Amino acid sequence: MTLPKPYRVSVVVQTHWDREWYFPQQTFAGRLLAVMERVCDQLDDGRLAHFLFDGQVCALEDLLAEAEPALAARVLTHARAGRIALGPWYVMADEFLVSGESLWRNLEIGLALAEKFGHAQRIGYLPDSFGHIAQMPQLLRQHGITSAVTWRGIDLRHAEFRWAAPDGSEVDAIYLTQGYYQHPLNLPDWQSALTRNLEAIAPRSLTGVLLLTQGGDHLAPHSDLSRRITEFNASQDRYELVQHSLQQHLEAVGTADRPGLRGELRDNAQSFVLPDVLSTRRYLKDLHQRLEDRLLGETEPLWAWLQGVTPPAHALTESWKRLIQQQAHDSICGCSVDEVHDEMQARLVSLDQRLSALNGGALHAAGLQSASRHEGTGASVFADDATFTLFNPLPLATEGWQAVEPLLQGPKPAAVRVLDADGIPVPLHWLGVAAARSLRSPLDDFPEPVIGHRLTLRIALPLQGMQAIALRLEACDPTAAGAAVLACETPVNGPLAVAGFSLDDGGALRWQGRLQLLLHTELDAGDSYNFAPPAQPDRHWHARFEPLGLRRSGPFTQLRVGFAFEQPRALADDRRGPGAERVTTRGELVLLTDGSPWVEAQLTHSTAAQDQRTRLVFSAGETLLDAAGDTAFHWTRRPVVKAAYPAAPVPQREMAVAVNPSLSAMQAGSVSIVHRGLQEFEIVDGPHEGDALAVTLQRAVGWLSRRDLVTRGAGAGPDLPTPGAQRGFDGVTPFAFALNADALLQRALRLRRPLLVLAGHRHDAWREPFTLPDARLVPSSLRRVGNALELRVWNPLDEPVSGAPPGWTGPAALTAHQIATYRRPA
């Protein structure tokens, strides 16, 4: 192909804005004012033709919150004139640590705000995300976006390509072969720097139309940028530089033939994808995911399915914005300084409080519960769950034993029972109890605590999708009809074999005789971006569990086991191997089975160890060729790549990616796992024969970035200490596992969006139940938008699924891997 001479070069002047990273958010907000003051000066006098505001509207919101009115007005004037490009995103999120619905709302909010403030840039601008989900082209297309510009995760010879999602949706894309951080026109030796840059990108263009993203992280354009462009054009005839918007560049490139890529982009042959951010600061990731689940599994379904209430649209949008702000790639990835993540944790805790208030507001508005002590309808503000509603927040039917944890006032009862609306006892098992108190504050009187016990129950009750059922919980005599007494836990010593569990003389724990559970620890000399073994690795399998107790009730068997092992407290001072001091790590694993293929589990562990990675390992003695995990709107299967740690770093290269993301489910061979908060897994050589599935419980490191990692031959940010990233995960990790199970995604949703126990009941407060016509579909969200109900689902299968929900408008059938949105009048 003959390329035009001179090359045409679109100079897109931009800044990439991390709202928090190596400085906290307010520090960067102050810098933002200085940068945009310079931008406006140059837009005002014509030195700048256009400015790309990084595709993140949140940065503009930050500016408007902090700027003096005169600067805010100048920025908005240029935005409305189309000279400052806004959107399409609200923030540049990490795509693997958030749900598909979060990415959808990110685009939805970003586009709406961009239109409000000026004009929305309808280009999928993703210059710095750490790899890309398979469904991104479909997500963009469904929002009217037909092109993308991106960098990490791509291994191509040329800059232009066509990117297809698993459903076949395509966007024309530009690969930033040298990255987005290109600021030659800012440098003292700008002419030679610019020439070097253009000589690097020119051979990789299929069209002869080059893109220079002039700018970088938090950078202002040089005051002489326009003059330098003119001077450079006059000094040579090989390149013709023109200030363009990103849209103008894409129009100049056109729709020429280009190679195609399909699906997920996590290749790191040409640029770092920094994969171990999946497990850095896991305590934050777990808290974030719980709040994402509360929004999608509590707040929105309650306001949608309760009748006679008007959802607080502003408050719900604001809640989403507060959540999405924490999803920015340097935030949710845990790769910022400690101050950033301390503030982030406080913001997430604040959002949790906000959602509790919103959920209570829905119940008060619908009359289920009263907000006042002396007036109002519904359950008293001081009511326990003696009369309660069991609400299924998913449009999926559920059968079998349901997990509920109601609060009952008063002393611990001798026995309890649950009665349906006709007073008929519901089959029940009582598996646990804990003292509890809840402070209630009526609008018209003093606050008082409700003091009692929270019961861990299993009730046999089928529910349709979105169904609300009235139940009554009461203390009773153990001889009463339907009564259940607390299952007694008996101490266990030595080997055992019960209900599929076995524990041998050596403490080896197995399920169904073939799946062994164990722990693995190893020293980590890496940073917040990449794991790295030290020169003298310290790796150990921990296969010994001690039996603690056994609880049995009907079909339920609950086994409680503990573990304890020694490990190095930290790396030695030279970071080449273990230090001399050692600490003991302890933990507990609670396993519950009801005779079904699935085992429910809860794991807690506590350690003072630093510079280390701890994993929970599932070994079934199989040789594995691939493994799968769920990502945003997709069940993604990947070939097994074993970690191959080099003896020394390769300059500017990152070790091949071995760890994989998972939002809530993973599968390797016969082993299936659903979870909340275990978002990194890897296939490793097992402790005996075959491979094993290793799931990261904790990764503790003390540096934002280092330049001495064998796994990455360059820095990934400033070399700053982050002692807060050594913090262990001190919560409870819920998960479930099975052998040769199916319907993993639906099972995972049940774990992440469980049934809701709500004090009080009003039958006429609820809409009629609604169940998806095909249970193989995966619901993403159900909410009320204006005067309509909106349902979003996706098809995880390689085949089409027919049948639209009756009464809802939307696609009559879903093609393989399609995302579909349905609506009906509220």
Side-chain angles (χ1 to χ4, degrees):
M1 179 174 60
T2 302
L3 297 178
K5 298 293 187 295
Y7 288 104
R8 289 169 289 172
V9 183
S10 299
V11 181
V12 175
V13 184
Q14 53 92 23
T15 187
H16 172 52
W17 204 262
D18 304 293
R19 68 191 304 264
E20 52 190 9
W21 182 24
Y22 53 81
F23 291 137
Q25 191 266 332
Q26 278 297 301
T27 304
F28 272 134
R31 181 184 177 119
L32 180 61
L33 302 182
V35 169
M36 294 307 293
E37 188 86 49
R38 291 193 184 190
V39 168
C40 285
D41 287 345
Q42 295 184 51
L43 287 169
D44 288 345
D45 62 21
R47 285 175 291 164
L48 274 186
H50 300 277
F51 184 75
L52 172 58
F53 208 171
D54 200 35
Q56 303 186 76
V57 186
C58 188
L60 177 58
E61 279 196 326
D62 288 345
L63 181 139
L64 296 177
E66 304 295 336
E68 294 298 316
L71 176 59
R74 293 170 72 196
V75 170
L76 290 175
T77 295
H78 289 303
R80 291 172 187 139
R83 299 183 70 197
I84 293 180
L86 302 175
W89 300 99
Y90 184 56
V91 305
M92 194 171 300
D94 184 87
E95 298 171 30
F96 293 103
L97 289 168
V98 306
S99 70
E101 192 62 32
S102 281
L103 292 172
W104 186 286
R105 305 299 178 89
N106 192 335
L107 264 182
E108 179 181 87
I109 292 170
L111 287 167
L113 287 174
E115 292 290 353
K116 171 186 172 183
F117 291 132
H119 300 279
Q121 173 182 248
R122 293 193 172 266
I123 300 167
Y125 188 58
L126 294 161
D128 198 30
S129 301
F130 303 160
H132 304 285
I133 58 166
Q135 291 280 36
M136 182 56 70
Q138 183 180 180
L139 184 62
L140 295 173
R141 276 279 183 177
Q142 293 220 11
H143 285 84
I145 298 171
T146 60
S147 57
V149 176
T150 187
W151 173 37
R152 301 186 193 269
I154 299 167
D155 184 17
L156 279 176
R157 177 74 185 93
H158 293 104
E160 300 88 354
F161 70 103
R162 186 162 286 112
W163 185 11
D167 77 315
S169 300
E170 290 186 335
V171 293
D172 289 331
I174 299 295
Y175 168 34
L176 300 170
T177 60
Q178 305 302 306
Y180 68 88
Y181 200 128
Q182 301 297 323
H183 65 310
L185 288 164
N186 281 25
L187 302 178
D189 61 340
W190 63 271
Q191 288 175 313
S192 57
L194 180 56
T195 300
R196 286 193 302 271
N197 180 281
L198 297 177
E199 290 296 310
I201 64 177
R204 304 186 69 172
S205 170
L206 288 170
T207 63
V209 181
L210 312 183
L211 173 60
L212 171 61
T213 51
Q214 165 61 39
D217 300 351
H218 322 112
L219 300 185
H222 194 280
S223 59
D224 282 340
L225 183 144
S226 179
R227 181 186 61 79
R228 289 179 172 184
I229 289 175
T230 301
E231 186 176 329
F232 186 80
N233 284 341
S235 69
Q236 48 76 53
D237 59 5
R238 180 169 169 80
Y239 303 102
E240 180 185 359
L241 277 60
V242 181
Q243 284 195 53
H244 271 165
S245 67
L246 206 55
Q247 182 62 48
Q248 287 173 317
H249 172 72
L250 291 171
E251 291 169 359
V253 170
T255 58
D257 289 341
R258 55 185 75 193
L261 291 177
R262 189 178 187 89
E264 184 178 85
L265 303 178
R266 291 184 78 229
D267 194 294
N268 63 349
Q270 296 193 41
S271 57
F272 302 156
V273 297
L274 312 170
D276 298 284
V277 296
L278 293 171
S279 55
T280 305
R281 299 185 193 257
R282 199 190 133 227
Y283 67 95
L284 280 178
K285 294 170 170 63
D286 181 83
L287 177 56
H288 161 266
Q289 199 171 65
R290 289 176 184 273
L291 295 178
E292 191 178 51
D293 290 342
R294 289 201 75 187
L295 257 173
L296 291 168
E298 296 178 27
T299 309
E300 288 192 333
L302 284 174
W303 282 104
W305 222 248
L306 285 165
Q307 299 193 99
V309 302
T310 301
H314 173 76
L316 291 172
T317 298
E318 185 64 27
S319 297
W320 269 107
K321 287 168 65 177
R322 295 185 188 196
L323 180 71
I324 294 168
Q325 286 169 9
Q326 317 316 310
Q327 297 174 351
H329 56 297
D330 291 308
S331 301
I332 191 61
C333 288
C335 53
S336 298
V337 293
D338 289 345
E339 295 94 324
V340 164
H341 297 300
D342 291 344
E343 293 175 4
M344 180 182 169
Q345 183 174 20
R347 293 193 296 259
L348 287 170
V349 170
S350 174
L351 178 57
D352 192 30
Q353 299 159 357
R354 180 187 181 87
L355 295 183
S356 293
L358 280 169
N359 295 351
L363 301 176
H364 298 153
L368 263 75
Q369 298 172 9
S370 175
S372 301
R373 183 170 196 162
H374 305 298
E375 57 182 320
T377 59
S380 164
V381 68
F382 296 108
D384 62 1
D385 297 323
T387 297
F388 69 95
T389 299
L390 189 62
F391 174 53
N392 178 6
L394 290 168
L396 296 171
T398 177
E399 298 181 347
W401 294 99
Q402 315 292 353
V404 296
E405 294 191 351
L407 171 66
L408 192 62
Q409 290 190 74
K412 186 173 76 172
V416 295
R417 62 180 181 175
V418 173
L419 308 174
D420 67 14
D422 297 320
I424 299 172
V426 177
L428 168 71
H429 291 278
W430 183 8
L431 300 177
V433 62
R437 60 188 292 136
S438 174
L439 183 65
R440 310 289 175 82
S441 181
L443 295 177
D444 58 352
D445 213 329
F446 289 106
E448 294 179 13
V450 174
I451 302 172
H453 294 82
R454 192 161 297 281
L455 313 179
T456 301
L457 307 177
R458 295 294 188 275
I459 60 176
L461 191 68
L463 278 86
Q464 300 176 59
M466 307 303 294
Q467 186 174 13
I469 294 179
L471 296 170
R472 191 166 79 248
L473 169 68
E474 61 183 24
C476 64
D477 187 272
T479 61
V485 297
L486 178 63
C488 180
E489 183 178 82
T490 57
V492 181
N493 294 299
L496 64 82
V498 57
F501 302 120
S502 65
L503 203 63
D504 65 19
D505 287 328
L509 177 64
R510 289 183 171 82
W511 167 246
Q512 298 293 1
R514 78 181 265 214
L515 177 62
Q516 183 178 5
L517 277 67
L518 57 162
L519 293 150
H520 184 263
T521 59
E522 56 191 324
L523 282 173
D524 188 347
D527 58 19
S528 62
Y529 298 100
N530 292 80
F531 170 84
Q536 301 158 18
D538 186 275
R539 302 185 179 109
H540 297 281
W541 297 101
H542 306 282
R544 183 177 184 83
F545 291 85
E546 296 290 341
L548 299 177
L550 188 67
R551 194 186 296 269
R552 307 191 75 172
S553 180
F556 292 96
T557 299
Q558 185 185 78
L559 174 63
R560 194 163 56 89
V561 297
F563 56 87
F565 51 81
E566 283 196 346
Q567 64 184 126
R569 183 179 186 86
L571 287 165
D573 290 343
D574 64 4
R575 300 182 62 84
R576 292 183 55 79
E581 188 178 355
R582 300 186 65 82
V583 295
T584 299
T585 294
R586 304 180 187 278
E588 181 176 298
L589 183 61
V590 181
L591 304 163
L592 179 70
T593 179
D594 61 1
S596 73
W598 285 94
V599 177
E600 297 178 29
Q602 289 189 335
L603 185 142
T604 57
H605 80 293
S606 176
T607 183
Q610 300 182 351
D611 307 320
Q612 56 86 25
R613 178 167 67 180
T614 302
R615 288 168 153 181
L616 178 63
V617 180
F618 300 81
S619 179
E622 303 169 277
T623 298
L624 301 172
L625 300 178
D626 59 20
D630 62 327
T631 55
F633 295 125
H634 193 238
W635 180 244
T636 306
R637 190 165 294 278
R638 308 175 186 89
V640 168
V641 176
K642 297 283 185 68
Y645 301 113
V650 178
Q652 301 301 319
R653 293 295 298 272
E654 186 179 55
M655 187 191 87
V657 176
V659 296
N660 299 300
S662 165
L663 290 175
S664 54
M666 56 188 78
Q667 188 175 58
S670 62
V671 181
S672 300
I673 300 168
V674 298
H675 64 89
R676 175 191 276 151
L678 297 173
Q679 292 182 266
E680 176 185 279
F681 72 95
E682 183 178 347
I683 305 303
V684 300
D685 294 328
H688 308 299
E689 293 184 0
D691 300 322
L693 174 61
V695 184
T696 306
L697 294 174
Q698 175 178 314
R699 185 167 170 265
V701 292
W703 289 87
L704 190 152
S705 175
R706 291 186 66 92
R707 296 170 195 273
D708 58 356
L709 278 58
V710 296
T711 51
R712 192 190 68 233
D719 294 349
L720 297 172
T722 54
Q726 299 278 19
R727 171 181 166 182
F729 179 76
D730 54 5
V732 176
T733 299
F735 63 98
F737 61 89
L739 290 168
N740 301 310
D742 54 13
L744 265 70
L745 295 169
Q746 290 78 9
R747 178 83 191 198
L749 272 178
R750 282 275 165 239
L751 187 152
R752 291 189 55 182
R753 304 185 201 172
L755 303 179
L756 303 182
V757 173
L758 309 168
H761 185 77
R762 271 189 57 202
H763 177 73
D764 61 352
W766 298 93
R767 301 181 190 276
E768 291 299 313
F770 160 67
T771 301
L772 286 174
D774 194 314
R776 297 174 298 173
L777 294 174
V778 181
S780 179
S781 72
L782 198 158
R783 60 172 171 165
R784 182 170 164 182
V785 181
N787 294 321
L789 296 174
E790 180 191 85
L791 167 71
R792 193 154 21 258
V793 300
W794 57 280
N795 177 11
L797 306 176
D798 294 329
E799 61 189 55
V801 173
S802 61
W808 297 72
T809 60
L814 276 75
T815 60
H817 308 292
Q818 184 181 355
I819 308 162
T821 301
Y822 295 90
R823 292 181 178 85
R824 82 175 206 202

